[in-house]
Amino acid sequence: MIMSAYADAVEDWSRIHARECPLVVEQRTPPVPDTVIAPWLERAPFAIRAEGDFATVMAQLAELPDALCTDVAVLVQRFMLLMQTDAVRVRMEGITTNACKKVHADYTDVRLITTYSGPGTDYAPNGVANDGLEYYLDRVPTGAIALFKGRTYASDHPPCFHRSPPVGDTGEKRLVLVIDTLLQGTLTD
């Protein structure tokens, strides 16, 4: 069951439903201490996937530390309320490569991405390309929550173009959470 206590927090996220809004970023400091995240970064690369209703997803993510599970639970519930869905697809990933380095828009309706450690996701300001060929990118701050509108949201809603920051040659590692509805689509960020 989705907790109604998150209704006020979801109100800010609801801007993503406006036609002219391809991206919503909620600023926050990283919610999980580095001491909790460090052991997980040592395990990278890895991906833990979960899918289903809230209880099923959280049971599938039970191996995560309590502090991380608590934050994921809040984000899953808020996302489910925002998207009016009873089931989601979740991925927690330790990334050591350039992952999804091309600027793209996902084939989903709305995707939530938050980076717990390492550089956040790069995105095109205002969500779209300036000239269709060249992108001028900004970066979601580490810890912030970003909602990216995808290509399948609605035909008259522009998607948000973004990419994973290239970390493959830097030695940096990222711990990233991705939440989607159960629409068909890829799980790249």
Side-chain angles (χ1 to χ4, degrees):
M1 169 174 272
I2 298 172
M3 298 172 64
S4 61
Y6 300 119
D8 290 341
V10 169
E11 188 174 313
D12 289 339
W13 285 7
S14 67
R15 293 176 297 150
I16 196 68
H17 295 307
R19 194 187 88 60
E20 69 281 353
C21 185
L23 171 71
V24 171
V25 176
E26 179 182 303
Q27 301 291 336
R28 67 179 187 163
T29 57
V32 180
D34 289 342
T35 55
V36 172
I37 291 173
W40 284 86
L41 288 176
E42 291 302 316
R43 298 172 77 183
F46 69 86
I48 301 169
R49 297 173 189 269
E51 182 176 308
D53 63 21
F54 177 75
T56 301
V57 165
M58 295 315 298
Q60 293 171 354
L61 298 174
E63 70 181 280
L64 295 174
D66 289 344
L68 208 46
C69 270
T70 298
D71 192 61
V72 171
V74 169
L75 295 180
V76 166
Q77 289 182 332
R78 287 178 65 191
F79 187 78
M80 291 173 81
L81 185 59
L82 172 75
M83 297 306 293
Q84 299 291 297
T85 185
D86 293 328
V88 291
R89 182 178 296 131
V90 177
R91 181 187 78 221
M92 178 70 71
E93 189 169 11
I95 301 170
T96 61
T97 66
N98 289 342
C100 197
K101 64 182 180 180
K102 290 188 178 183
V103 176
H104 66 284
D106 295 311
Y107 283 93
T108 189
D109 49 3
V110 174
R111 173 167 287 168
L112 181 150
I113 302 174
T114 189
T115 304
Y116 290 101
S117 184
T121 303
D122 294 335
Y123 66 94
N126 302 315
V128 297
N130 288 343
D131 62 10
L133 299 172
E134 188 173 346
Y135 297 88
Y136 303 96
L137 301 176
D138 285 334
R139 181 164 286 165
V140 176
T142 302
I145 301 161
L147 299 168
F148 296 85
K149 192 175 286 177
R151 293 178 184 270
T152 64
Y153 184 86
S155 61
D156 63 339
H157 287 245
C160 183
F161 287 83
H162 61 282
R163 71 170 186 189
S164 291
V167 297
D169 297 331
T170 68
E172 289 182 277
K173 296 178 181 180
R174 302 174 67 220
L175 183 62
V176 178
L177 174 72
V178 177
I179 305 174
D180 288 307
T181 60
L182 293 182
L183 290 177
Q184 294 292 14
T186 61
L187 283 175
T188 58
D189 76 327

